[in-house]
């Protein structure tokens, strides 16, 4: 069984976009064994979400490694391309929604490890509102599944990614049920106070926690430490301001919490790949970048 990191999965889908091939709502009869892929390998990856019932999914990848997933409502899996598969249904009918997809760039280097020979199981924790939204997304996907035309294809792609985000967030909440609420509050605090001279100790104190524990839990939930989260949020806000073009680099630096514009420029270039003054030139804003 592969335990996924939701941030890493999100990164992989950003780096390797996919093309949605088909959307299905399927019911397998109680006590049935589906063996359509016992001999013939699966040709597509999938996002599968369980609606009702239980079933055991037996996967075997190309090197003979076997994976067993006990699927039930509240669970999902991602992947499964190029694998042998048997489904053993429990004592009730098994109903699920399946979205088949393939990498948009089939020959892209590095796709093998992510889109092939892997299955990622996710246990979701959703409140009533999140469950309702996820259900609406699945229904919308099913409704648009067979519609022709590029606009409808774009809608399918968009709905798929929205559903994927819901699944990843639900899985992250499930793994962090005790800390999710305050970490959401911590993220909101950083987003509102990012222009202030924040420190790890100061942010942790807002939640009556020791800095080391606060940092550990924040990273476990978000995939990055609180100070890195702060830096990336500041740089993203800085990019927006630079592209608007109404502010100099010095003014942008101050607006996003960097008192020293030279230090801000170094940090920005390190993480964004170009100097902030270059962003203003590319966007055609002014002759005086500083």
């Amino acid at each position: 069984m592969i335990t996924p990191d939701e941030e890493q999965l999100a990164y992989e889908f950003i780096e390797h976009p996919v093309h949605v091939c088909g959307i299905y709502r399927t019911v397998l009869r109680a006590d049935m064994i589906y063996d359509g892929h016992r001999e013939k390998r699966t040709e597509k990856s999938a996002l599968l979400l369980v609606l009702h019932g239980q079933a055991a999914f037996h996967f075997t990848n190309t090197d003979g490694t076997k994976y067993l997933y006990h699927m039930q409502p509240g669970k999902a899996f991602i992947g499964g391309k190029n694998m042998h598969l048997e489904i053993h249904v429990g004592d009730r009918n098994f109903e699920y929604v399946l979205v088949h997809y393939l990498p948009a760039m089939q020959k892209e280097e590095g796709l093998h490890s992510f889109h092939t020979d892997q299955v990622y199981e996710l246990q979701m924790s959703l409140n009533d509102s999140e469950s309702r939204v996820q259900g609406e997304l699945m229904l919308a996907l099913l409704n648009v599944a067979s519609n022709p035309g590029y606009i409808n294809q774009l809608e399918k792609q968009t709905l798929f990614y929205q559903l994927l985000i819901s699944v990843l967030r639900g899985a992250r909440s499930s793994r962090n049920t005790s800390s999710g609420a305050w970490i959401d509050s911590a993220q909101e605090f950083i987003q509102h106070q990012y222009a202030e001279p924040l420190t790890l100790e100061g942010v942790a104190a807002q939640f009556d926690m020791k800095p080391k524990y606060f940092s550990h839990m924040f990273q476990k939930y978000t995939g990055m430490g609180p100070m890195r989260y702060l830096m990336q949020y500041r740089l993203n806000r800085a990019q927006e301001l630079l592209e608007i073009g109404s502010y100099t680099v010095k003014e942008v630096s101050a607006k996003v919490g960097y008192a020293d514009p030279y230090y801000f420029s170094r940090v920005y270039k390190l993480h964004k790949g170009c100097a902030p003054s270059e962003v203003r030139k590319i966007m055609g804003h002014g002759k005086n970048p500083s």
Side-chain angles (χ1 to χ4, degrees):
M1 179 182 298
I2 300 175
T3 302
D5 176 274
E6 295 81 22
E7 283 291 316
Q8 183 61 34
L9 280 176
Y11 170 79
E12 294 289 357
F13 274 97
I14 291 171
E15 289 296 297
H16 308 301
V18 300
H19 172 72
V20 176
C21 303
I23 303 106
Y24 313 94
R25 184 169 184 166
T26 302
V27 178
L28 300 180
R29 297 189 310 276
D31 300 316
M32 168 184 177
I33 296 179
Y34 169 82
D35 58 1
H37 288 287
R38 178 185 293 171
E39 302 298 332
K40 182 183 179 181
R41 295 184 184 276
T42 55
E43 297 179 350
K44 300 177 180 69
S45 295
L47 169 62
L48 182 147
L49 294 96
V50 182
L51 300 178
H52 302 288
Q54 299 181 352
F57 281 67
H58 298 258
F59 286 98
T60 306
N61 70 11
T62 52
D63 66 7
T65 303
K66 298 181 182 296
Y67 302 93
L68 173 61
Y69 298 93
H70 294 283
M71 303 301 295
Q72 59 192 29
K75 282 191 173 183
F77 75 64
I78 294 171
K81 183 175 183 289
N82 200 34
M83 303 182 81
H84 297 295
L85 168 65
E86 284 188 18
I87 304 174
H88 296 235
V89 182
D91 58 5
R92 293 183 296 158
N93 288 353
F94 180 68
E95 185 176 5
Y96 59 93
V97 169
L98 182 72
V99 184
H100 275 146
Y101 64 86
L102 285 169
M105 300 292 289
Q106 293 273 14
K107 297 182 179 179
E108 188 177 342
E109 183 180 353
L111 284 175
H112 182 81
S113 61
F114 175 59
H115 283 302
T116 304
D117 292 342
Q118 302 283 6
V119 180
Y120 302 89
E121 183 186 30
L122 301 110
Q123 174 71 54
M124 294 176 291
S125 176
L126 303 172
N127 60 37
D128 290 343
S129 175
E130 291 165 335
S131 295
R132 184 175 64 255
V133 168
Q134 193 171 97
E136 290 171 352
L137 287 169
M138 284 189 280
L139 182 60
L141 262 172
L142 290 163
N143 286 339
V144 78
S146 301
N147 294 350
Y150 292 118
I151 293 176
N152 289 316
Q153 179 60 41
L154 179 61
E155 185 178 9
K156 277 192 286 189
Q157 298 288 121
T158 302
L159 289 168
F160 168 76
Y161 282 113
Q162 289 177 337
L163 182 59
L164 177 65
I165 290 167
S166 173
V167 169
L168 295 178
R169 284 180 170 162
R172 185 173 65 181
S173 295
S174 178
R175 292 196 301 110
N176 300 278
T177 53
S178 62
S179 56
W182 70 258
I183 291 177
D184 287 343
S185 296
Q187 289 176 290
E188 291 176 5
F189 177 81
I190 291 172
Q191 292 164 13
H192 286 102
Q193 303 295 323
Y194 70 94
E196 302 300 320
L198 299 178
T199 64
L200 174 59
E201 293 75 14
V203 178
Q206 293 290 324
F207 299 90
D208 297 320
M209 293 184 184
K210 292 183 178 180
K212 186 175 181 180
Y213 178 75
F214 175 84
S215 184
H216 168 74
M217 296 304 295
F218 193 99
Q219 171 136 4
K220 181 181 177 183
Y221 188 82
T222 66
M224 67 184 76
M227 292 299 98
R228 182 174 180 82
Y229 183 93
L230 170 63
M231 178 194 69
Q232 291 194 356
Y233 189 81
R234 282 173 166 172
L235 295 181
N236 289 341
R237 292 290 295 138
Q239 183 171 345
E240 293 171 2
L241 294 172
L242 290 165
E243 290 177 350
I244 290 171
S246 300
Y247 307 102
T248 65
V249 171
K250 184 176 181 180
E251 288 170 335
V252 170
S253 175
K255 284 182 175 294
V256 299
Y258 289 96
D260 183 348
Y262 298 102
Y263 176 71
F264 161 71
S265 294
R266 290 197 300 272
V267 173
Y268 189 95
K269 184 174 183 179
L270 177 64
H271 293 277
K272 294 293 188 179
C274 67
S277 56
E278 291 301 313
V279 177
R280 298 184 85 255
K281 288 180 182 178
I282 291 171
M283 301 303 294
H285 300 307
K287 296 182 179 181
N288 180 15
S290 60

